[in-house]
Amino acid sequence: MTVLEDRIEMADSGDELTLDTMFEWLEKMPIPEGYKTEIVGGQICMSPQRRTHWQITFDILDQLRSRYPRKRLMSDVRIDYPGRLNGFATDVTLIAEDAQLDDKGRWHYKDVEFVAEVISKDTAANDYGPKKATYALADVPVYLIVDPSTGTWHLHTLPKDGEYRGEVSLDFGDDIDLTGTAVGVVLKTDEFPRD
């Protein structure tokens, strides 16, 4: 049975669409190697991993490793968030020290302390829009957007009632001071490459 036939059968049976079902479809699809897939508001999003994207992601992970053990840092690992069908594979995620995997072997969004997304031109609208709103709704304390096409970064903090109340935007080369947040480090951006 093809993915399309699965969809038609599910629609005919009246079953509600779930993230697990959608990710099962993705597992059956011939996704090209080097593509990141996630589900944002019920929409399947695929984007290629670019050299610039990966260098920035690795740089952030490397800097966080100076303070955090590897087991608390994730990249491109599925975490389901509140709202309609949000299964994100964030570029960088910091999990709380006492976090436990759920019965399906996944991390819970309530244990996420920091998220960083490196912008891709094709998916930028998601990172600045619905993903930002979802992270705020989930009370993720610190959300960082790094945009290599503009050479800027945008730090969002103080989530309340589904919105981030604190925002700082500066250029590559300016440090990202997270010492007053749950992260507690300063990230250097002077070596972040640009697109």
Side-chain angles (χ1 to χ4, degrees), residues 69-105:
R70 186 173 291 124
K71 66 181 182 178
R72 290 188 57 197
L73 297 169
M74 312 291 149
S75 180
D76 292 340
V77 173
R78 173 185 169 186
I79 297 177
D80 296 346
Y81 285 89
R84 183 179 178 280
L85 301 175
N86 289 311
F88 301 162
T90 306
D91 294 321
V92 178
T93 304
L94 173 65
I95 301 291
E97 186 173 4
D98 60 349
Q100 299 291 320
L101 294 171
D102 67 15
D103 59 345
K104 293 182 179 181

Side-chain angles (χ1 to χ4, degrees), residues 12-26:
D12 289 343
S13 70
D15 292 339
E16 184 176 329
L17 186 61
T18 67
L19 280 172
D20 286 341
T21 300
M22 293 182 78
F23 276 106
E24 286 174 19
W25 294 342
L26 285 172

Side-chain angles (χ1 to χ4, degrees), residues 22-42:
M22 293 182 78
F23 276 106
E24 286 174 19
W25 294 342
L26 285 172
E27 288 174 11
K28 295 175 185 176
M29 293 174 71
I31 297 170
E33 188 173 328
Y35 274 72
K36 171 182 168 174
T37 59
E38 57 188 354
I39 300 171
V40 180

Side-chain angles (χ1 to χ4, degrees), residues 6-15:
D6 284 343
R7 288 184 190 179
I8 292 168
E9 182 177 307
M10 192 182 88
D12 289 343
S13 70
D15 292 339

Side-chain angles (χ1 to χ4, degrees), residues 123-144:
T123 61
N126 284 339
D127 295 322
Y128 284 114
K131 288 177 84 173
K132 177 183 166 190
T134 299
Y135 292 137
L137 180 66
D139 287 327
V140 172
V142 182
Y143 174 40
L144 175 65

Side-chain angles (χ1 to χ4, degrees), residues 139-154:
D139 287 327
V140 172
V142 182
Y143 174 40
L144 175 65
I145 298 174
V146 179
D147 192 335
S149 65
T150 62
T152 58
W153 54 264
H154 311 276

